[in-house]
Amino acid sequence: MFKQRLISGILLVAILAAVLYFGGMPTFFLTAIVSLIGYYELLRIFHVEKSPIGVAGYTVSILYYVLLALELQDFILPLSLLLLIALLAFYVFLFPKYHFEQIAAGFFGFFYVTIMLSYVYQIRTLKDGGVFVVLLFLSSWGNDTLAYCAGRLFGKHKMSPHLSPKKTIEGAVGGVAGAGLLGFIYSLIVKDMIMSNDNVTLIFVLICMIGALISIIGDLGASAIKRNYEIKDYGTLIPGHGGILDRFDSVIFIAPMIYYFLVYTIGA
């Protein structure tokens, strides 16, 4: 199991590194595909992944990425309202075939997976985006790794025993502090590569530490959904890791935060 998890993890990182390095359309298409798969995984929990709810959600998700590619963000809110109207129409005219939680999952999934994950691509499109996008994974996967190590060494107090019995407060503190350290080291490496490099070290440390804190919420939030519906993993796409939502649960949560933090602090 560990060997399988390690190999698939290395392959995943290699693919992401290559795609994010090239940016542009490769990053765009990978983000869109990952979003659609993650959306499918979420809807499958509610047994509507192949229903009109799912079809409407996938269609609107594709249209959302088309608008993003064409830089027509002004149409995103009307598109979201259109999805809500369509989902409520299914609820009303097909009643009582679908329950409200299934309708809500269709709308929630569009924002939670499609829109929030799209900020990975949007970070990459920023000036110096190739440098900034790394912060996303230092904050999430770096935090996960260091929190695990700190928890194993010092963990005594359970952070959320009902959701994730193995996570400890000590591990969380170690993960956040470790993410800040990674941000500090990374800033020293790339500082001269960034056009707007004023206070870049402080900004990178803050981004990684705040991102790590938010990633904990994302991780536990995804776990809460699994606990509610009594499933172990969202999928089996990534051997040893589960599905897209199992691996990207924290990335989804912090991608928008990092994007806006960069835009409003250094004008990226």
Side-chain angles (χ1 to χ4, degrees):
M1 180 67 178
F2 174 77
K3 183 179 179 181
Q4 182 187 56
R5 182 181 176 88
L6 178 63
I7 293 173
S8 61
I10 292 172
L11 289 174
L12 177 63
V13 170
I15 293 170
L16 282 173
V19 172
L20 292 174
Y21 173 79
F22 287 108
M25 285 296 103
T27 299
F28 173 82
F29 282 115
L30 180 65
T31 307
I33 291 169
V34 168
S35 296
L36 287 171
I37 296 173
Y39 193 13
Y40 175 88
E41 290 176 351
L42 183 66
L43 293 184
R44 187 167 52 191
I45 296 174
F46 300 89
H47 310 293
V48 291
E49 74 279 8
K50 297 179 182 178
S51 72
I53 295 171
V55 173
Y58 307 142
T59 302
V60 169
S61 293
I62 292 171
L63 290 174
Y64 167 80
Y65 272 97
V66 171
L67 293 176
L68 202 59
L70 297 175
E71 298 184 359
L72 296 173
Q73 283 88 339
D74 289 344
F75 293 95
I76 289 175
L77 180 56
L79 181 67
S80 304
L81 295 175
L82 182 64
L83 175 61
L84 180 59
I85 292 170
L87 294 175
L88 288 175
F90 296 145
Y91 186 44
V92 170
F93 293 115
L94 298 176
F95 190 86
K97 183 175 182 179
Y98 298 112
H99 297 289
F100 178 73
E101 67 176 13
Q102 294 174 308
I103 301 299
F107 196 65
F108 169 75
F110 173 65
F111 273 88
Y112 174 57
V113 185
T114 301
I115 291 182
M116 293 180 72
L117 195 56
S118 75
Y119 280 90
V120 175
Y121 166 70
Q122 294 187 64
I123 291 172
R124 185 61 183 85
T125 62
L126 295 174
K127 180 176 61 179
D128 300 316
V131 173
F132 295 144
V133 76
V134 176
L135 295 170
L136 184 57
F137 300 98
L138 294 179
S139 304
S140 54
W141 295 353
N143 168 66
D144 287 345
T145 302
L146 294 171
Y148 173 79
C149 294
R152 293 277 293 183
L153 291 172
F154 309 110
K156 293 182 179 180
H157 301 89
K158 301 296 183 183
M159 182 171 62
S160 183
H162 296 296
L163 287 180
S164 189
K166 295 182 179 180
K167 293 187 184 301
T168 63
I169 295 175
E170 293 82 0
V173 172
V176 172
L181 179 60
L182 290 176
F184 173 76
I185 296 171
Y186 184 59
S187 72
L188 299 180
I189 297 172
V190 302
K191 188 173 183 178
D192 294 334
M193 300 168 55
I194 301 173
M195 296 180 66
S196 301
N197 61 0
D198 293 338
N199 300 318
V200 68
T201 298
L202 176 61
I203 290 171
F204 276 26
V205 170
L206 286 175
I207 284 177
C208 286
M209 293 187 72
I210 295 172
L213 281 170
I214 296 175
S215 77
I216 295 172
I217 300 174
D219 185 19
L220 292 176
S223 296
I225 296 173
K226 290 192 287 187
R227 294 290 185 273
N228 277 157
Y229 293 93
E230 299 180 347
I231 61 171
K232 184 179 183 296
D233 294 315
Y234 283 101
T236 58
L237 182 64
I238 309 172
H241 293 267
I244 289 296
L245 294 182
D246 295 293
R247 184 65 276 183
F248 288 86
D249 49 6
S250 55
V251 173
I252 287 172
F253 247 62
I254 64 177
M257 182 280 295
I258 290 180
Y259 174 83
Y260 288 112
F261 199 109
L262 289 167
V263 168
Y264 291 118
T265 54
I266 62 176

